[in-house]
Amino acid sequence: MEYFLKEPPVKSIVKFAAALSLGMFMSPALALAGSCEVPANAAQLAQEAAKAINAQRAAHGRKPLQFEPRLQASALAHACDMAVQGYFSHRAPNGSKAKSRLRRQGCRAGLVAENIAAGQTNPQEVVVDWMNSPGHRKIILLGRGTNHYGIGIAKAGNAYSHGYVWVFVEARGC
């Protein structure tokens, strides 16, 4: 089973007008996505976002999600793919969705859910935006269905005046 939303929260425009600025690879998993500019503090931003997500889960009686490197690699590859190719969607131009992207990372999760967002400049802002959107909130607060997460962040580039492209993937098993 796979969950995703058709209309993710976006602080600026939904469609990227042009190819985004190119940078250096931050992970070998990004080789297929092309060049991608990842914030220097991406690991810290992802940890802060995970802490905020798990705080929301705890406040609603849910167990915390645990970090999973393959989910992280998949989330980062999708964030970079969207930034480099200039699209904003749960479905990549090649037709892949969250579950098929996880399979490429060697993860055969039973349940997969994904939130995406763009334009936010910090973890608290993106988590607040997701929690204020009923569908995204539902994904963050999935009950017994999920136990792992990964968060990918790429610089949004010239399509926005500021901010990042965010991908949050959670899954049951891996």
Side-chain angles (χ1 to χ4, degrees):
M1 180 178 289
E2 192 167 20
Y3 290 97
F4 53 86
L5 299 172
K6 293 181 181 176
E7 297 181 21
V10 179
K11 284 290 182 184
S12 189
I13 55 176
V14 173
K15 293 183 179 178
F16 290 97
L20 303 177
S21 60
L22 302 177
M24 299 176 63
F25 287 118
M26 299 303 287
S27 163
L30 301 180
L32 297 176
S35 224
C36 176
E37 190 173 354
V38 175
N41 62 341
Q44 177 186 349
L45 293 172
Q47 287 175 349
E48 289 174 20
K51 184 176 178 180
I53 287 167
N54 278 330
Q56 288 294 332
R57 290 177 61 83
H60 292 88
R62 306 298 193 271
K63 292 183 179 179
L65 299 171
Q66 302 298 314
F67 175 77
E68 200 337 297
R70 291 169 290 183
L71 272 68
Q72 183 80 9
S74 178
L76 181 57
H78 188 51
C80 284
D81 191 50
M82 286 191 288
V84 169
Q85 291 198 55
Y87 71 95
F88 189 77
S89 176
H90 294 282
R91 184 182 294 265
N94 68 6
S96 71
K97 294 191 276 183
K99 198 166 197 171
S100 59
R101 290 189 290 270
L102 281 178
R103 283 189 185 125
R104 276 188 251 152
Q105 297 298 329
C107 175
R108 298 228 178 259
L111 174 67
V112 177
E114 176 181 82
N115 281 345
I116 61 175
Q120 294 82 356
T121 59
N122 63 67
Q124 295 74 25
E125 185 181 7
V126 74
V127 173
V128 165
D129 284 353
W130 281 333
M131 290 302 290
N132 287 332
S133 164
H136 294 91
R137 176 186 177 95
K138 179 180 178 181
I139 287 172
I140 287 174
L141 299 178
L142 283 174
R144 296 181 226 176
T146 57
N147 54 7
H148 293 101
Y149 79 89
I151 298 171
I153 306 160
K155 289 191 178 178
N158 61 9
Y160 297 95
S161 58
H162 64 282
Y164 304 113
V165 174
W166 301 80
V167 176
F168 166 66
V169 177
E170 65 181 293
R172 176 179 57 229
C174 206

